């Protein structure tokens, strides 16, 4: 599932390519026909992400809300003034790397409009210089202002929101005996952290993932918040998740740290730990998701 940084990149792409424009909205697949009809011909005025949810607001007080889930993806393309064609979302090959090189790359230099949509395209938005296609999303709906406010209220603070208050995350952790590894994935506690950021931030903090959250010291919770801010901001910039420090990938800049040098524990079970050097990285199930961690570096304290 794409993590929060990918959704913020989606919001940025819409802000750069579509805001202020009257959009043609359709549902080639047909499943979003009614919603598309409500938005078609309206002007896009706001674009933002909250955790893994994307919100595109229109001047008719309606908002397109999308959650990509496990299989959703956005594809963008357009003329020479539009941002480079790309795809953001599933399928992911390795650690949610954003891909470039869609069918839009084969479009003629003189842009004559978007290509024919795929049969699975849930919604297509067409602006003055480009288009965006959505496939496979878990949630694709139109919300009125009260629905947007209710959804925002259900979600925890987003580390990628500079105005976010982390106190609700600290309070949620302090109030539960659930493992801290589970709380970090609870979107009501903290929004946007997924499997990779969870595993990597816990490793970088030296935190045992099964420690009851209420027993994790406040200063460790603050460290986890700050580190996820740092890691997620870097992922927005890079378009992929790189969590290793320079000393653990000597000679390899973050821009080229893929895949061998990118992470500490994610997908590295059965391989020596970069820090302790031991064959101590394991993978197990926690709440229906795979948890990767080092039994030496993250031993109970």
């Amino acid at each position: 599932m794409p993590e929060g940084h990918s959704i913020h990149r989606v919001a940025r792409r819409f802000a750069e390519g579509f805001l202020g424009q009257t959009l043609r909205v359709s549902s080639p697949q047909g499943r979003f026909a009614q919603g598309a009809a409500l938005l078609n011909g309206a002007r896009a005025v706001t674009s933002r992400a909250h955790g893994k949810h994307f919100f595109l607001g229109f001047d008719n007080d309606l908002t397109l809300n999308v959650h990509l889930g496990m299989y959703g993806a956005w594809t963008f393309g357009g003329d020479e003034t539009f941002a480079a064609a790309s795809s953001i979302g599933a399928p992911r090959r390795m650690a949610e790397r954003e891909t470039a090189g869609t069918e839009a790359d084969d479009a003629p230099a003189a842009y004559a409009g978007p290509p024919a949509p795929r049969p699975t395209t849930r919604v297509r938005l067409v602006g003055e210089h480009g288009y965006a296609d959505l496939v496979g999303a878990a949630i694709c709906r139109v919300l009125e202002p009260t629905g947007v406010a209710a959804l925002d209220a259900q979600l925890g603070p987003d580390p990628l929101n500079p105005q976010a208050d982390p106190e609700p995350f600290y309070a949620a952790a302090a109030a539960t005996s659930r493992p801290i590894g589970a709380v970090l994935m609870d979107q009501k506690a903290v929004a946007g952290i997924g499997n990779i950021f969870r595993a990597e931030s816990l490793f970088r903090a030296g935190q045992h993932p099964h420690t009851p959250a209420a027993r994790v010291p406040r200063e460790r919770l603050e460290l986890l918040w700050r580190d996820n801010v740092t890691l997620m901001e870097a992922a927005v910039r890079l378009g992929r998740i790189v969590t290793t420090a320079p000393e653990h990938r000597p000679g390899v800049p973050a821009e080229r740290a893929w895949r061998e040098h990118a992470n500490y524990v994610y997908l590295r079970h059965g391989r020596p730990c970069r820090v302790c050097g031991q064959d101590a990285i394991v993978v197990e199930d926690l709440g229906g998701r795979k948890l990767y961690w080092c039994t030496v570096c993250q031993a109970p304290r």
Side-chain angles (χ1 to χ4, degrees), residues 17-278:
F18 296 98
L19 287 194
Q21 301 174 31
T22 297
L23 303 185
R24 303 197 306 273
V25 185
S26 61
S27 180
Q29 180 195 58
R31 291 181 57 187
F32 188 63
Q34 290 184 333
L38 293 172
L39 303 176
N40 186 44
R43 183 166 57 91
V45 293
T46 60
S47 176
R48 67 181 180 91
H50 187 164
K52 300 179 183 182
H53 281 267
F54 168 61
F55 302 86
L56 184 65
F58 290 82
D59 63 356
N60 59 2
D61 289 332
L62 297 178
T63 296
L64 174 66
N65 170 228
V66 173
H67 189 297
L68 292 179
M70 295 295 293
Y71 307 108
W74 285 101
T75 297
F76 299 90
D79 64 19
E80 68 279 0
T81 70
F82 195 76
S86 64
S87 178
I88 302 177
R92 285 291 187 237
R93 293 181 181 178
M94 300 171 184
E96 296 194 13
R97 183 177 189 178
E98 180 178 326
T99 59
T102 68
E103 66 271 18
D105 290 324
D106 299 323
Y111 178 70
R118 287 178 285 176
T120 55
T121 301
R122 181 84 57 84
V123 59
R124 164 168 282 187
L125 301 101
V126 181
E128 297 170 4
H129 300 283
Y131 71 94
D133 283 353
L134 175 69
V135 299
I139 295 174
C140 178
R141 59 189 173 186
V142 175
L143 295 177
E144 296 183 344
T146 54
V148 173
L151 178 54
D152 277 326
Q154 293 174 10
L155 297 172
D158 184 340
L160 282 170
N161 178 358
Q163 282 75 51
D165 179 4
E167 286 297 331
F169 163 57
Y170 304 149
T176 182
S177 60
R178 290 186 299 155
I180 183 60
V183 173
L184 284 174
M185 293 280 281
D186 183 349
Q187 300 302 297
K188 294 182 179 180
V190 56
I193 295 176
N195 220 18
I196 307 172
F197 288 122
R198 183 260 301 269
E200 295 295 305
S201 63
L202 285 171
F203 176 86
R204 286 163 57 102
Q207 176 61 55
H208 193 289
H210 293 290
T211 301
R215 289 173 47 195
V216 177
R218 167 73 180 230
E219 58 269 22
R220 188 81 48 74
L221 294 174
E222 293 175 350
L223 172 62
L224 286 167
W225 172 268
R226 292 195 304 270
D227 200 39
N228 274 287
V229 170
T230 298
L231 294 178
M232 295 175 77
E233 286 179 345
V236 170
R237 176 176 59 86
L238 295 169
R240 54 192 179 185
I241 302 175
V242 177
T243 60
T244 47
E247 61 267 27
H248 296 134
R249 45 176 165 81
V252 180
E255 290 76 12
R256 292 196 293 109
W258 201 261
R259 162 197 180 198
E260 174 63 24
H261 308 283
N263 304 123
Y264 285 107
V265 291
Y266 182 74
L267 294 181
R268 298 197 73 249
H269 52 296
R271 306 176 65 185
C273 175
R274 299 186 192 278
V275 177
C276 71
Q278 300 190 44

